[in-house]
């Protein structure tokens, strides 16, 4: 690492004492790069065994990496914390302006400790940290409004990040999100509830500085090559044209689009919610994260008439991607786009992870249909496939929690099923709700074994699709090893906070070249060792906090619904989990 | 002919900031300490983006308020910065109605666009282009020509 790179500075903010300090930690970044690598090491230091995820001892770690602010598509922030949703490792990544803002403020990582005595938001302006009273913002109906207020009060337009929570985070919904720049999120595993437990309404970050490079000519040459592949390479094309919603139709055609709580992998109305249809009829704007020419963020236009007021309309911009479309579209059996957008917008207003919320609502719908619960539990709401008014009302109740049933839903599908039954069709993996792929054993094994129980850990869906396309037979050991290899490499990418959409651009060779320009003299072997070590640390943290791979619950539903690779066999899954756990 | 940057269509701007990073990278460093072009949201990202860059005024207000003549006019429109003369007073930044005089906080001097077009070559969506200024003083009206002594009427003589 270059001596004068501010990356090595770790800002620690203590909400209990309302103090902050900056530590120089060059050795930390020299050995762990940034992002996931640095965050897991800071989490090891900060989070004691058995920490209450919603107590003052749970730290919030935000880490960026050496390539941020220097190269395109390296603009993610990795958050680590103990998850109130799974009771174990919490790791969530967000883009927007967050990473560039943290880097430009002069830090490689930020640690937030303690708990405030009254609602607060923290404004970081370069070397200054302000604790702003947020008691008037607490309880605001909409997370959008909280963002607007912070935007109006703070400086740094253009280069700032505004992270905030909605009421879901304030009220401790275990899958509450932290929203950044309106359309990006630390969505998964409940960082919003950790913010809420600390009475932390938000964090704004801004700054401006130059960053040193080792060799100016090499830097500019590599930049141009990366920029060219980011804008012209076919591997990036799908993200900037239709966006991730391009996946809806192909997944549906192969029978891998989870539909009506995965009672089917085929949604007969998929065309209505496809990326193609959304682009032609609803796409209103595309936006980008800081320093990313791809602009994968797709915003749909929602125009609503006021029912009792003629000639009054409200026009909103609603972000959409494959996962929200799956979770609040096909999985809920809904294809009316305007209604689906309203539900997605409600999740944003409340500050909920749309994936966990959608999967939880899908479980509740089936539980109601099967008579495990009645409208007494649902507070009179007739949850039924495609009944969006009921889903919108239920989403509000998940946050307001008027009765025990909604208090259970506020802890996710796994917990709700533990109270009311229906675990066979509660689609959670390691207690985290499933993503939008039912391609075969690979995807589900990825959700089960991945350190954050995310499709992004190891992309098992691509193993399935390759096997299905080539007619190859998957084996438990083969899948386990492939997942492990992919998850390890992704530790490198997420430590450099490179967006995983650019994984085809940032090959190992390019990563080493980029590192050299910022003074990291690493070899391919160094990367391999670092990747294995980082994943090992994450898994060790999980084991320490009680994670038991052999006790992972496999929802029966995934074994009952055919996939493009055929029926999934439970023995296959168990065997692969075992292999993965031994190897990691 | 003098050149300047044209904003062809700010509605196509996705806020990727490739232009800002290009401007800052021109001297060979990373980061964003100084950029002559700035992109910010038009009141929240829902509403899209505003692109701010020097429009190379034919009669630049920034130049007129500089107490040390550090911003002489460029032939054809716009200004050049003479950093040795600049005392960092911020008058120029305050005078620009577009907010297009950015500030280099590390140097404490204005960051003045040199109309090189490097930023435009990194705009992935053709929001920016380098264009020639055809007739900077073109106007549909006849403007009074100031007399050599100024506009004060000659009461004596």
């Amino acid at each position: 690492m270059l001596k004068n790179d501010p990356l090595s500075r770790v800002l620690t903010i203590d909400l209990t004492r309302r103090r902050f300090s900056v530590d120089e930690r060059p050795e930390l970044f020299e050995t762990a790069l940034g992002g996931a690598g640095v965050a897991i090491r800071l989490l090891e230091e900060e989070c004691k065994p058995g920490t209450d995820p919603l107590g003052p001892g749970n730290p919030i770690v935000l880490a960026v990496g050496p390539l941020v602010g220097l190269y395109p598509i390296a603009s993610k922030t990795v958050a680590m914390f103990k998850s109130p949703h799974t009771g174990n490792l919490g790791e969530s990544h967000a883009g927007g302006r967050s990473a560039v803002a943290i880097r430009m403020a002069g830090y490689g990582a930020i640690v937030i400790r303690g708990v405030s005595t009254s609602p607060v938001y923290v404004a970081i302006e370069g070397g200054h940290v302000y604790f702003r009273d947020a008691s008037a913002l607490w309880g605001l109906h909409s997370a959008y409004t909280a963002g607007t207020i912070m935007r109006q009060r703070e400086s740094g337009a253009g280069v700032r990040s505004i992270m905030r929570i909605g009421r879901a985070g304030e009220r401790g919904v275990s899958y509450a999100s932290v929203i950044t720049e309106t359309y990006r999120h630390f969505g998964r595993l409940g960082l919003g509830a950790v913010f809420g437990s600390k009475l932390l309404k938000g964090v704004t970050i801004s700054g401006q500085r130059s960053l040193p490079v080792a060799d100016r000519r090499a830097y500019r040459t590599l930049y141009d090559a990366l920029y060219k592949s980011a804008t012209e390479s076919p591997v990036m094309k799908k993200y900037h044209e239709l966006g991730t919603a391009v996946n809806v139709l192909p997944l549906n055609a192969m029978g891998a689009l989870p539909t009506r709580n995965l009672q089917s992998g085929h949604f007969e109305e998929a065309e209505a919610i496809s990326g193609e249809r959304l682009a032609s009829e609803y796409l209103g704007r595309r936006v980008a994260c800081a320093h990313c020419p791809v602009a994968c963020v797709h915003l749909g236009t929602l125009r609503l008439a006021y029912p009792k007021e003629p000639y009054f309309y409200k026009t909103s911009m609603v972000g959409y991607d494959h996962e929200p479309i799956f979770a609040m579209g096909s999985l809920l059996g809904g294809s009316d786009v305007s209604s689906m957008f309203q539900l997605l917008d409600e999740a944003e207003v409340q500050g909920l992870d749309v994936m966990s919320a959608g999967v939880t609502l899908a479980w509740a719908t089936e539980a109601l249909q099967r008579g495990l619960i009645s409208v007494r539990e649902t507070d009179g709401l007739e949850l039924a496939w495609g009944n969006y008014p009921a889903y919108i009302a239920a989403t509000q109740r998940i946050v307001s929690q008027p009765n025990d049933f909604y208090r259970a839903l506020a802890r996710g599908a796994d917990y709700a099923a533990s109270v009311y039954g229906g675990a066979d069709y509660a689609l959670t993996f390691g207690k985290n709700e499933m993503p939008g792929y039912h391609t075969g054993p690979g995807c589900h094994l990825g959700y089960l074994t991945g350190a954050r129980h995310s499709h992004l850990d190891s992309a098992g869906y691509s193993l399935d699709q390759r096997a299905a396309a080539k007619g190859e037979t998957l084996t438990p050991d083969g899948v386990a090893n492939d997942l492990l290899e992919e998850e390890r490499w992704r530790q490198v990418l997420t430590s450099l906070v490179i967006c995983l959409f650019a994984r085809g651009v940032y090959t190992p060779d390019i990563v080493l070249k980029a590192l050299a320009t910022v003074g990291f003299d690493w070899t391919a072997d160094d990367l391999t060792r670092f990747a294995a070590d980082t994943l090992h640390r994450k898994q060790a943290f999980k084991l320490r906090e009680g994670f038991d791979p052999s006790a992972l619950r496999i929802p029966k539903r995934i074994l009952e619904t055919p996939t493009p690779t055929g029926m999934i066999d439970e023995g296959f899954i168990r065997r692969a989990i075992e292999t993965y756990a031994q190897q990691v | 002919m003098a050149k300047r940057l044209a904003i062809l269509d700010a509605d196509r701007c996705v806020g990727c900031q490739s232009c800002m990073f290009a401007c800052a990278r021109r001297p060979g460093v990373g980061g964003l300490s100084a950029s002559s072009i700035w992109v910010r949201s038009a009141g929240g990202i829902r509403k899209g983006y505003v692109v701010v860059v020097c429009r190379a005024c034919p009669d630049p207000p920034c130049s007129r308020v500089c107490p040390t003549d550090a911003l002489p006019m460029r032939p054809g429109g716009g200004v050049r910065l003479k950093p040795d003369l600049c005392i960092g007073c911020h008058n120029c930044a305050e005078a620009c109605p577009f907010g297009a005089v950015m500030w280099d906080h590390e140097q404490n001097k204005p960051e003045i666009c040199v109309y090189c077009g490097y930023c435009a070559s990194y705009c992935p969506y053709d929001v920016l282009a380098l264009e020639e200024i055809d007739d900077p003083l073109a106007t549909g009206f006849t403007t009074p020509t100031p007399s050599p002594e100024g506009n004060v009427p000659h009461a004596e003589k």
Side-chain angles (χ1 to χ4, degrees):
Chain A
M1 186 168 66
L2 296 169
K3 274 205 183 74
N4 46 349
D5 191 330
L7 185 72
S8 60
R9 300 168 81 237
V10 177
L11 170 67
T12 301
I13 296 167
D14 185 332
L15 293 173
T16 307
R17 294 164 58 233
R18 300 216 171 181
R19 294 284 162 83
F20 70 95
S21 59
V22 178
D23 294 301
E24 291 283 351
R25 300 285 303 270
E27 79 300 336
L28 174 65
F29 287 86
E30 272 157 18
T31 52
L33 297 177
V38 160
I40 185 60
R41 285 160 177 84
L42 287 171
L43 193 70
E44 287 165 0
E45 291 174 19
E46 296 280 337
C47 185
K48 296 196 174 70
T51 294
D52 173 5
L54 298 177
N58 191 15
I60 296 165
V61 179
L62 304 171
V64 301
L67 306 186
V68 175
L70 283 155
Y71 289 104
I73 341 186
S75 304
K76 297 281 240 187
T77 302
V78 171
M80 278 204 201
F81 49 98
K82 189 167 172 186
S83 166
H85 194 51
T86 62
N88 212 305
L89 177 67
E91 179 182 350
S92 190
H93 304 176
R97 302 241 170 92
S98 59
V100 170
I102 291 170
R103 188 95 161 100
M104 289 297 99
Y107 307 105
I110 299 173
V111 176
I112 303 173
R113 289 179 188 152
V115 57
S116 179
T117 48
S118 61
V120 70
Y121 78 87
V122 175
I124 302 167
E125 294 173 17
H128 303 276
V129 177
Y130 303 96
F131 295 87
R132 310 271 203 225
D133 176 29
S135 46
L137 303 183
W138 207 257
L140 268 177
H141 166 71
S142 167
Y144 288 120
T145 312
T148 304
I149 304 294
M150 290 180 208
R151 179 161 52 77
Q152 286 167 351
R153 286 169 54 91
E154 301 301 331
S155 62
V159 287
R160 63 187 165 185
S161 182
I162 303 176
M163 303 174 183
R164 67 272 194 176
I165 60 169
R167 284 177 72 238
E170 295 175 6
R171 298 182 62 89
V173 177
S174 68
Y175 46 94
S177 67
V178 171
I179 302 161
T180 180
E181 286 67 85
T182 314
Y183 296 107
R184 298 291 87 190
H185 311 83
F186 295 99
R188 310 230 67 193
L189 299 174
L191 182 61
V194 180
F195 267 53
S197 72
K198 297 184 178 308
L199 297 185
L200 178 62
K201 183 69 182 173
V203 178
T204 67
I205 307 158
S206 64
Q208 267 184 269
R209 67 182 55 239
S210 57
L211 295 171
V213 293
D215 175 342
R216 291 178 180 208
R217 184 184 295 259
Y219 165 53
R220 295 218 303 208
T221 307
L222 182 59
Y223 188 99
D224 288 346
L226 277 167
Y227 183 85
K228 194 168 159 32
S229 14
T231 48
E232 294 172 18
S233 155
V235 296
M236 300 307 296
K237 189 177 164 197
K238 73 171 187 179
Y239 299 114
H240 61 92
E241 292 187 345
L242 294 177
T244 57
V246 72
N247 289 333
V248 171
L249 287 183
L251 284 171
N252 193 53
M254 66 180 85
L257 182 67
T259 300
R260 291 182 292 271
N261 203 35
L262 195 54
Q263 295 181 51
S264 171
H266 179 79
F267 187 38
E268 56 286 352
E269 293 158 45
E271 198 280 325
I273 54 170
S274 65
E276 290 79 355
R277 178 71 84 85
L278 293 180
S280 68
E281 290 183 19
Y282 296 91
L283 181 57
R285 192 182 291 288
R286 280 170 47 208
V287 302
C289 293
H291 212 172
C292 175
V294 176
C296 76
V297 186
H298 285 55
L299 306 182
T301 306
L302 171 63
R303 180 172 180 258
L304 290 176
Y306 283 78
K308 291 175 191 163
E309 302 257 9
Y311 304 110
F312 268 91
Y313 293 90
K314 171 188 170 176
T315 305
S316 324
M317 302 298 277
V318 180
Y320 66 81
D321 261 303
H322 171 68
E323 303 298 342
I325 293 169
F326 132 78
M328 294 194 156
S330 65
L331 198 74
L332 296 177
S335 60
D336 178 61
V337 176
S338 173
S339 301
M340 180 179 77
F341 277 177
Q342 285 178 68
L343 178 59
L344 290 172
D345 199 47
E346 189 62 38
E348 291 297 303
V349 163
Q350 304 286 350
L352 287 166
D353 172 25
V354 293
M355 292 165 69
S356 287
V359 174
T360 300
L361 288 172
W363 170 85
T365 305
E366 193 167 340
L368 181 64
Q369 284 182 348
R370 291 176 183 271
L372 285 184
I373 52 168
S374 69
V375 287
R376 214 161 46 113
E377 277 79 23
T378 65
D379 200 20
L381 297 178
E382 297 281 359
L383 300 175
W385 307 128
N387 184 357
Y388 280 108
Y391 287 135
I392 291 166
T395 300
Q396 292 162 344
R397 282 166 176 73
I398 285 172
V399 176
S400 63
Q401 297 165 34
N403 63 21
D404 285 343
F405 177 68
Y406 285 104
R407 276 189 285 279
L409 289 191
R411 297 173 66 175
D414 190 84
Y415 178 79
S418 75
V419 176
Y420 294 95
D424 288 350
Y425 49 86
L427 299 170
T428 66
F429 298 81
K431 298 186 186 170
N432 194 27
E433 286 73 13
M434 81 176 286
Y437 307 86
H438 180 59
T439 45
C443 72
H444 293 292
L445 275 163
Y447 314 153
L448 287 161
T449 58
R452 46 192 178 124
H453 303 291
S454 159
H455 58 300
L456 294 170
D457 281 319
S458 47
Y461 51 83
S462 77
L463 298 179
D464 294 332
Q465 289 178 61
R466 207 169 54 211
K470 293 184 178 171
E472 291 168 2
T473 310
L474 295 165
T475 64
D477 287 0
V479 171
N481 288 324
D482 285 352
L483 289 175
L484 185 57
E485 192 186 339
E486 182 66 22
E487 191 172 5
R488 280 185 175 149
W489 172 244
R490 289 183 178 214
Q491 303 313 305
V492 172
L493 295 176
T494 58
S495 295
L496 296 172
V497 298
I498 292 162
C499 178
L500 291 171
F501 292 172
R503 60 187 179 272
V505 170
Y506 279 93
T507 58
D509 182 46
I510 294 286
V511 163
L512 287 173
K513 277 189 189 161
L515 278 173
T517 62
V518 290
F520 284 81
D521 189 19
W522 282 41
T523 65
D525 286 346
D526 293 335
L527 287 180
T528 308
R529 262 193 305 276
F530 163 77
D533 178 47
T534 298
L535 183 57
H536 181 77
R537 282 168 185 268
K538 283 161 64 169
Q539 293 290 352
F541 182 94
K542 294 186 71 169
L543 294 176
R544 188 193 87 181
E545 295 301 320
F547 178 65
D548 177 1
S550 67
L552 277 167
R553 187 178 70 79
I554 300 167
K556 272 225 174 61
R557 176 57 47 80
I558 69 164
L559 311 173
E560 297 163 350
T561 302
T563 79
T565 57
M567 300 303 283
I568 298 174
D569 170 51
E570 182 167 2
F572 183 112
I573 300 277
R574 290 281 173 214
R575 163 83 207 180
I577 291 174
E578 209 175 297
T579 305
Y580 177 95
Q582 280 163 3
Q583 307 271 335
V584 73
Chain B
M1 289 275 251
K3 295 192 169 172
R4 71 169 170 192
L5 279 151
I7 312 292
L8 300 179
D9 185 359
D11 283 321
R12 286 170 60 92
C13 177
V14 297
C16 73
Q17 304 180 329
S18 295
C19 55
M20 292 163 64
F21 280 97
C23 187
R25 191 172 60 251
R26 220 171 59 101
V29 294
L32 270 180
S33 84
S35 170
S36 307
I37 185 165
W38 208 252
V39 176
R40 58 178 167 79
S41 75
I45 287 167
R46 275 181 280 186
K47 296 179 180 160
Y49 296 94
V50 172
V51 184
V52 183
V53 67
C54 176
R55 67 182 302 270
C57 305
D59 183 15
C62 56
S63 177
R64 276 182 268 140
V65 297
C66 178
T68 59
D69 293 326
L71 286 174
M73 276 186 62
R74 181 183 65 145
V79 293
R80 286 181 299 117
L81 174 67
K82 291 187 164 175
D84 295 349
L85 297 180
C86 174
I87 55 169
C89 72
H90 285 264
N91 281 5
C92 52
E94 283 161 28
C96 177
F98 302 100
V101 176
M102 315 297 172
W103 207 255
D104 180 340
H105 294 275
E106 290 182 341
Q107 304 288 329
N108 193 34
K109 291 193 193 306
E111 180 64 28
I112 300 292
C113 181
V114 297
Y115 320 105
C116 69
Y118 192 60
C119 54
S121 61
Y122 288 90
C123 177
Y125 302 104
D126 300 326
V127 175
L128 299 169
L130 194 65
E131 67 171 14
E132 295 203 338
I133 308 172
D134 48 2
D135 182 1
L137 293 171
T139 165
F141 302 93
T142 318
T143 45
T145 314
S147 66
E149 292 84 7
N151 287 328
V152 183
H154 293 241
E156 295 173 12
K157 219 173 185 178

